[in-house]
């Protein structure tokens, strides 16, 4: 990742070590605490004018607390959205610590205003994750990056699966994975399946993937760990249907017009476009939904989460705005 | 303090070491981070049904993050109030992490509802700090605890000063202290002056107190560090006027009917009763305000912050309520 | 692992989270520091009569520092041996913090005496790792645990490879792995190859293993991650030759009489028996040495590192000895 | 202190926050652990060629562990000496982690050689603490810095008391202080008494000092917290007798020829010159010893701990030497 950051022109990159092994609720808390200790050292050394943090994860919270206790103005990207889980709590808590907000949707802006944030501190810039998606969408001259997909030729029609564990449904993680797997097997379409992020429960999914890989070696299912963002988006852009519970289905896929089958509660509450079909963790329902989406084919692009200028707008606003660490709820 | 907690009947008391020396914004952040690491260990060992945290300080945030990341239901006391400073940010952020709220005032309850908290999770119990104040107020048979005031006889009329540094006005801490000190000297009334809490800036005040003590040894000003809660409240109950920027002036003093001169921005936004006179850090204004309050004398008791049953109500509700860690903003 | 500890009869098991992801020299230091913070909490809660720590790894140092600063008697197992690397430094530093020593060999005892440790605090008990090896050696009625070797039938003759990265030779890790791999391929004997422990450099080896596995899938080389201790020792007991730089070649293999080819500097300085052939990371030298050991066949058992009663002796001594935290160098 | 460091010409000064409040054995361990985490961040940022650490305290250990795990050459000053307590353990453990040693005495060098350190890595430079003492001793034209002694005129004859708590004799700290205090009162000579360092037990001494100050206000005893090093050494240089258990009595006082009464076990084992009279914590013995030293008067200077060039020699050697992190015990 430092390589990608460097490609974007950043020169002073500081690595922070705060991620504890064996992800579980206790290590999640300690990772957050250690992140504060580490980031406080970094902030003391580089004395930033502002700290920018995004979304709703451990490190978001660590950065938000270190900055706000150290009287450094805090900007938060992707606030005001709704989901479930610990993400929901962290996102809104970070909004209450932040001095300036860059939101993805008009509804998110209204929600922050309802929460008591000062309207003048909330900027509806769209989501920066859409910026690259639009470049990938428009740049028709560039070819699909076969190499970065591990030299596996995608079939004329293929699925992409992205399923993360739901931390508050930890007892169901294995069942959910197995339901989805049996549906995908039954569909019998070439599939790129991404292994989950480091959330609590991911270890169970990895274990199931390994067990499955050793046993069946279904040649139609390719498990992938990570792709570079552009390669990843090209894989999404050309897929026939995106299946699972990733926010990619809600955000980037709506812009790319990709049919999405969103399963379970993880994206509950998040605004979505017409391309998303919501269902439960039931194999038959999954099969029906995917087949329905395959029949439908691509959707119109939706600009719900942005028009591709979020990054530039945010950078421009940060450069010009007057920064302050004093805030008070508006009511 | 363990002694007081044991007197209240608690048997399993675990001490946590997280407070770093040399309070400043960086150590404040690190103290919070270390507190998360330490409390996560404690929570893992004792597996609490619920974690209860109060107000808006470092350790409040540490407890809130450890509990919420560990999927332990979190109850927050004193949410929904308004002040300024980092306290304001921390208090509302903790509310967004909390699963249940015990608030001091009706306005605080309404504010949490506006912020998107589910009304059924918000209980207007009053503030537990009022509980002991009412006992002190009513129990006329108990005599003033001279001993715990270091055997110094209070004069027939005396002031109490409680002034904390304002973390976002750190450059003014010394001036603010000196303004207040010159006003108190000019008033020439016996005064009990409490040294500040461990917030950033306290070291400056301690230094000024020491310099002043070594130089002038004004026999009318007695600096005190800490009293046991009951002795403290008795000292407040009998004082002619409480001066400074402590929340005691807003909460306990309103119940006890004590005239209060509240100086500066620290309590901005907090609901207050008629007993509070708000002014700036100007020596003349302080003198005028204190004299005006001395002329006025005691006020009627206000029950704005509770009627003395908060602790019992909270305990009772905690024992009976159904606990959950799933929450979502109401809009 | 908690399961194994529980099988041994321990009832109060406390898990500690201190291992940071992305092993490198910086995270190694931080893992040690966090381990001290975590173990200090544990020691404060359970107030142990003594802390027992073993060998020379991060957690050894963490336990030693927490115990010694907290005035808890510290017993160290496997002190007084010689290797290279950070292990060498950590081992002797821990000896200087320890109040009582349980050593594996007579030479280790003499070395600790030379280092200034009080002779009465040094007990030559042998190494506990030998205890299980002797049980595995003698228990001829039990059959090889095929199942725990992932159902892969060992050939009539097979090798075991255990190669760890050498932290101070980090630049050579990949080359060393490749030299060894080319030698093993050339030997063309069925081989169980264990992936390395979490030392700095392990990630490079994992990467090479993965690359190799994806490319060639040599059916004669089986990569294994971990086996239960008894299954592991049975696999060693029946192997024709143990190759690499693991201490298993020095300790357990000498007791089991297994021919060992020890490569490189990692075990430099450690006492060894006749079963060990020392060579450098040169493919031809490795091939020659393994062939020579295959021709030689099993060796006589050596009791250099213990006679199988270390654990019982240590437990018995700990139960009876007078504990103290006062020590002074003898000269 | 940053001011003093800056005066010495250092430009890049990084502050580290690791000291936990409420010193006790548990916080001592955690302070050490947090120090490792903090110093590892610093070392990663500035990539030092070598880390130099001194003596035997928490931060010595933190620096030693961070450097050695990070493969940064470690130099240790004041190794090879003997005392008691945790200091004794820490000092020798740090020696086993260090790659190069700058020792104060010939005996210390021999001891490190006996401990198995390579002779070529041990340099007998003398102790840097003596360097400033010699400047103070020789510079007769400079006058005693009355101002920095808080404007209190020293009498023609005065004592200096420096007594630290002994961590392994924690139960006796108060008694030891009281014995010493009653002896000093009986002696009835003007006395400058330094408050102790932050070791475990210091809080008890502070409490006793406060109690005594509030009660008796003996005008002959002045409690001092800290002086700048030069002012401190001038105060020592002119004192009639140094009393207590500080290493200053062993080191700087021997060079300055000051009579010393060393009480109790804290300096047991440390080499000393003729100026030191060793006794126990008995008021009568203390009185007799001080009177005997007052009768004797100043001693000849001893150069046991150095001849005033330690700092320059160490700097010169560090600049020229070949650095390595590979070491192995010599036997």
């Amino acid at each position: 990742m430092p390589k990608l950051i460097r490609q974007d022109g950043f020169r002073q990159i500081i690595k922070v070590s705060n991620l504890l092994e064996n992800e579980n609720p206790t290590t999640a808390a300690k990772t957050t605490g250690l992140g504060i200790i580490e980031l406080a050292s970094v902030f003391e050394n580089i004395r930033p004018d502002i700290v920018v943090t995004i979304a709703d994860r451990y490190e978001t919270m660590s950065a938000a607390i270190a900055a706000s206790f150290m009287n450094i103005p805090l900007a938060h990207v992707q606030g005001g959205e709704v989901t479930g889980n610990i993400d929901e709590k962290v996102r809104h808590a970070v909004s209450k610590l932040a001095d300036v907000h860059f939101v993805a949707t008009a509804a998110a802006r209204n929600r922050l205003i309802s929460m008591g944030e000062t309207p003048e501190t909330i900027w509806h810039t769209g989501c920066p994750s859409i910026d690259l998606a639009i470049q990938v969408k428009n740049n028709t001259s560039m070819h699909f990056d076969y190499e970065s997909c591990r030299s596996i030729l995608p079939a004329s029609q293929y699925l992409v699966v992205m399923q993360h564990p739901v931390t508050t449904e930890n007892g169901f993680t294995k069942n959910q994975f197995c339901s989805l797997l049996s549906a995908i097997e039954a569909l019998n379409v070439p599939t790129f399946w991404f292994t989950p992020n480091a959330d609590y429960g991911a270890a169970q999914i990895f274990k199931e993937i390994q067990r499955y890989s050793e046993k069946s070696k279904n040649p139609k299912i390719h498990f992938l760990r990570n792709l570079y963002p552009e390669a990843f988006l090209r894989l999404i852009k050309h897929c026939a249907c995106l299946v699972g519970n990733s926010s990619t289905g809600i955000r980037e896929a709506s812009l790319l017009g990709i049919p999405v089958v969103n399963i379970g509660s993880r994206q509950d509450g998040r605004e979505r476009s017409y391309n998303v079909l919501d269902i439960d963790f039931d194999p038959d329902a999954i099969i029906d939904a995917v087949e329905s989406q395959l029949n439908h084919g691509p959707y119109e692009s939706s600009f719900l989460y942005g028009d591709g200028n979020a990054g530039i707008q945010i950078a421009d606003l940060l450069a010009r705005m007057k920064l302050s660490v004093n805030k008070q709820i508006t009511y």
Side-chain angles (χ1 to χ4, degrees), chain A residues 17-247:
Chain A
S17 303
N18 70 309
L19 187 56
L20 284 165
E21 284 215 342
N22 300 317
E23 86 287 346
N24 62 48
T26 304
T27 53
K30 294 191 176 193
T31 288
T32 306
L34 190 55
I36 296 170
I37 293 174
E38 297 280 295
L39 287 174
S41 291
V42 173
F43 294 166
E44 186 166 72
N45 276 324
I46 68 175
R47 300 265 163 212
D49 295 317
I50 193 161
V51 166
V52 182
T53 191
I54 186 162
D56 45 34
R57 293 182 55 76
Y58 314 151
E59 57 274 18
T60 312
M61 185 53 102
S62 299
I65 288 181
S68 53
F69 275 106
M70 293 174 78
N71 292 329
I72 302 167
L74 175 70
H76 185 218
V77 180
Q78 287 188 6
E81 302 182 24
V82 181
T83 58
N85 278 314
I86 180 68
D87 298 353
E88 166 81 358
K89 292 178 177 176
V90 168
R91 188 183 322 105
H92 299 317
V94 170
S95 289
K96 299 311 293 185
L97 296 172
D99 302 290
V100 55
H101 314 267
F102 300 112
V103 300
T105 71
R109 183 169 192 274
N110 289 335
R111 196 170 287 111
L112 287 180
I113 291 172
S114 296
M115 285 169 65
E117 296 301 300
T118 306
E120 288 72 30
T121 65
I122 314 169
W123 306 86
H124 178 192
T125 57
C127 180
S129 67
I130 298 300
D131 294 11
L132 188 60
I134 285 195
Q135 291 170 32
V136 167
K137 177 174 180 287
N138 294 336
N139 191 341
T140 50
S141 71
M142 290 177 65
H143 298 294
F144 184 80
D145 184 358
Y146 294 123
E147 192 52 40
S148 62
C149 292
R150 298 188 180 183
S151 314
I152 300 160
L153 271 179
S156 54
Q157 191 185 51
Y158 63 90
L159 308 178
V160 172
V161 175
M162 301 183 74
Q163 193 209 354
H164 299 291
V166 180
T167 55
T168 50
E169 301 173 359
N170 191 44
F172 303 95
T173 299
K174 187 179 157 184
N175 281 350
Q176 290 175 352
F177 175 83
C178 294
S179 295
L180 180 50
L181 181 59
S182 73
I184 295 296
E185 288 222 292
L187 282 159
N188 199 29
V189 178
T191 299
F192 293 93
W193 190 311
F194 284 87
T195 55
N197 62 23
D199 276 336
Y200 179 45
Q204 292 179 62
I205 295 184
F206 273 108
K207 213 168 165 183
E208 290 304 314
I209 289 176
Q210 192 164 359
R211 187 176 303 175
Y212 177 75
S213 300
E214 284 174 3
K215 197 183 59 187
S216 75
K217 300 192 193 265
N218 182 331
K220 293 225 166 144
I221 304 184
H222 302 289
F223 290 100
L224 297 178
R225 194 173 269 260
N226 260 320
L227 292 182
Y228 278 82
E230 197 178 325
F232 168 73
L233 285 173
R234 291 188 186 283
L235 187 69
I236 299 295
K237 179 186 175 184
H238 293 272
C239 86
C241 181
L242 176 57
V243 185
N245 61 10
S246 166
S247 65

Side-chain angles (χ1 to χ4, degrees), chain A residues 160 162 180 241-246 249 258-263 275-280 285-294:
Chain A
V160 172
M162 301 183 74
L180 180 50
C241 181
L242 176 57
V243 185
N245 61 10
S246 166
I258 303 304
V260 168
V261 172
N262 180 65
I263 316 174
N275 66 315
V276 179
L277 208 58
D278 291 293
I279 54 162
D280 280 335
I286 297 171
I287 293 168
D288 288 351
V290 173
E291 286 180 341
S292 153
Q293 290 284 41
L294 293 178

